[in-house]
């Protein structure tokens, strides 16, 4: 690590000083195994693709089973379908699930229903039905499955930013891809998976903002040192005079 004196004066470290370490020993070992830059580049891009494909297989395979509304799908799927047609959640007659399961989906009424959840998640569910129709259970669940697949990729990218390690990111993405609870929640048309997805996006945005700020701060400190100023007295740099 750079000493405080060097940081304050902007002096260059000795030529023999070790560079800042990134990644892990596993990454160092794997780089020696792969040897060539081309293989390393293939690994850098191939690892996230591989864990995302694994997640896709586990979440899309036989997605339409069971071919009936399960659990709270009775609310979200029907709300999403009426939302797509009416622009708001319509009400449904008694015993509508049996008709909906049989493919008779346009039995919603124009009177609005009681709404207990925000519409964004139901609009996302509606996108899958808009693409494939509501007459099959695959269409009901397609959007939540896609959201679950993308969540695995986001976990991979977050881990790579946090640890500067493709191997650690691959382990994190792989474990999330095969997690039983994550798979189940990606194979039913509920809002839980969508909430999780946006929470991950928010955390990823925090990391990107942190990196952007760190880069801006580093550039500001470098400019101050080159101009012969002591950056520790600049409140915008986060430093203070002792």
């Amino acid at each position: 690590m750079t000493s405080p004196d060097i940081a304050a004066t902007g002096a260059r470290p000795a030529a023999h000083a070790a560079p800042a370490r990134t990644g892990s020993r596993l990454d160092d070992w794997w780089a020696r195994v792969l040897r060539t830059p081309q293989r390393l580049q293939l690994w850098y891009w191939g690892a996230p693709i591989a864990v995302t494909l694994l997640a896709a297989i586990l979440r899309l395979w036989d997605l339409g089973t069971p071919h009936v509304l399960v659990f709270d799908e009775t609310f979200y799927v029907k709300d999403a379908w009426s939302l797509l047609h009416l622009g708001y959640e319509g009400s449904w007659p008694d015993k509508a699930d049996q008709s909906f399961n049989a493919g008779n989906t346009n039995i919603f009424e124009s009177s609005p229903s009681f709404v207990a959840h925000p519409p964004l998640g139901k609009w996302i569910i509606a996108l899958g039905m808009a693409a494939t129709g509501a007459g099959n259970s695959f269409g009901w669940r397609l959007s939540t499955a896609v959201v679950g697949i993308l969540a695995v990729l986001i976990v991979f990218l977050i881990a790579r930013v946090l640890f500067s390690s493709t191997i650690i990111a691959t382990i994190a993405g792989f474990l999330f891809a095969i997690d039983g609870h994550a798979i189940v929640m990606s194979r039913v048309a509920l809002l839980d998976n969508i909430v999780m997805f946006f929470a991950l996006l928010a955390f990823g945005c925090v990391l990107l903002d942190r990196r952007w700020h760190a880069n801006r701060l580093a550039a500001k400190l470098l400019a101050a040192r080159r101009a012969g100023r002591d950056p520790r007295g600049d409140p915008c740099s986060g430093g203070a005079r002792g």
Side-chain angles (χ1 to χ4, degrees), residues 14 110 170 206 231-232 235:
S110 59
T170 302
V206 169
R232 292 178 298 174

Side-chain angles (χ1 to χ4, degrees), residues 134-157:
N136 63 90
S137 49
F138 179 87
W140 309 341
R141 299 163 185 151
L142 178 60
S143 291
T144 49
V146 171
V147 165
I149 295 165
L150 293 176
V152 172
L153 177 60
I154 293 173
V155 165
F156 177 97
L157 296 175

Side-chain angles (χ1 to χ4, degrees), residues 69-83:
L69 295 168
V70 297
F71 193 54
D72 278 355
E73 283 186 336
T74 183
F75 303 113
Y76 305 129
V77 171
K78 291 186 298 184
D79 276 355
W81 186 240
S82 62
L83 192 64

Side-chain angles (χ1 to χ4, degrees), residues 58-225:
L58 295 176
R59 284 153 179 79
L60 294 175
W61 183 265
D62 201 21
L63 181 62
T65 301
H67 303 284
V68 294
L69 295 168
V70 297
F71 193 54
D72 278 355
E73 283 186 336
T74 183
F75 303 113
Y76 305 129
V77 171
K78 291 186 298 184
D79 276 355
W81 186 240
S82 62
L83 192 64
L84 183 63
H85 287 79
L86 300 174
Y88 58 89
E89 294 90 336
S91 57
W92 294 78
D94 293 338
K95 299 182 180 179
D97 284 9
Q98 292 85 340
S99 297
F100 201 95
N101 293 335
N104 186 17
T105 59
N106 292 330
I107 58 174
F108 50 84
E109 300 171 355
S110 59
S111 57
S113 67
F114 176 78
V115 178
H117 299 89
L120 178 58
K122 288 175 280 189
W123 274 116
I124 292 174
I125 293 172
L127 291 177
M129 292 190 284
T132 66
N136 63 90
S137 49
F138 179 87
W140 309 341
R141 299 163 185 151
L142 178 60
S143 291
T144 49
V146 171
V147 165
I149 295 165
L150 293 176
V152 172
L153 177 60
I154 293 173
V155 165
F156 177 97
L157 296 175
I158 286 175
R160 184 146 69 181
V161 170
L162 282 174
F163 301 105
S164 300
S165 168
T166 298
I167 283 187
I168 293 177
T170 302
I171 294 171
F174 172 76
L175 292 176
F176 193 40
I178 65 171
D179 180 77
H181 186 264
I183 293 172
V184 170
M185 298 308 295
S186 298
R187 293 176 60 87
V188 287
L190 305 182
L191 301 184
D192 307 61
N193 216 42
I194 298 170
V195 173
M196 174 272 298
F197 175 74
F198 282 108
L200 281 174
L201 278 182
F203 182 69
C205 288
V206 169
L207 289 180
L208 292 178
D209 179 75
R210 179 177 177 270
R211 183 166 64 180
W212 175 84
H213 177 76
N215 291 338
R216 288 282 300 267
L217 180 60
K220 185 177 180 65
L221 293 176
L222 181 61
R225 288 166 183 158

